[in-house]
Amino acid sequence: MIDTNKLSYFIKKSGLKKKYIADQLGICLSTFSRKLNNKVDFTISQIRLLCEILNIDDKDRDEIFFRQ
């Protein structure tokens, strides 16, 4: 389960639209929304790309996507 609050913070901080981010990930906006709401998991490649797009460092990545 991802930390949706922290990920939302990075999305807002980036100033990018969710539609743009979804397009960059190669998914539709509705799929991206489901992933943000923990209904569908992000793939490892999507996590990597999302971290690049949003400038998320390794520490924050682990806290967002790999917390216990």
Side-chain angles (χ1 to χ4, degrees):
M1 187 174 274
I2 66 167
D3 184 338
T4 55
N5 291 329
K6 193 162 188 169
L7 183 53
S8 293
Y9 163 79
F10 278 98
I11 292 170
K12 187 172 185 175
K13 181 180 163 187
S14 75
L16 300 172
K17 301 285 185 190
K18 289 179 183 175
K19 170 78 169 110
Y20 172 82
I21 296 169
D23 288 345
Q24 295 303 302
L25 295 175
I27 58 178
C28 64
L29 181 57
S30 62
T31 300
F32 186 54
S33 293
R34 286 195 305 274
K35 289 174 182 279
L36 289 175
N37 291 311
N38 284 310
K39 302 214 185 285
V40 177
D41 292 331
F42 284 96
T43 66
I44 295 298
S45 60
Q46 288 171 338
I47 291 170
R48 276 192 208 114
L49 186 53
L50 194 53
C51 289
E52 286 179 32
I53 293 166
L54 299 176
N55 295 312
I56 298 174
D57 64 25
D58 292 347
K59 178 183 175 288
D60 288 318
R61 178 204 60 211
D62 291 347
E63 290 176 5
I64 294 168
F65 296 102
F66 303 113
R67 66 187 177 129
Q68 299 291 341

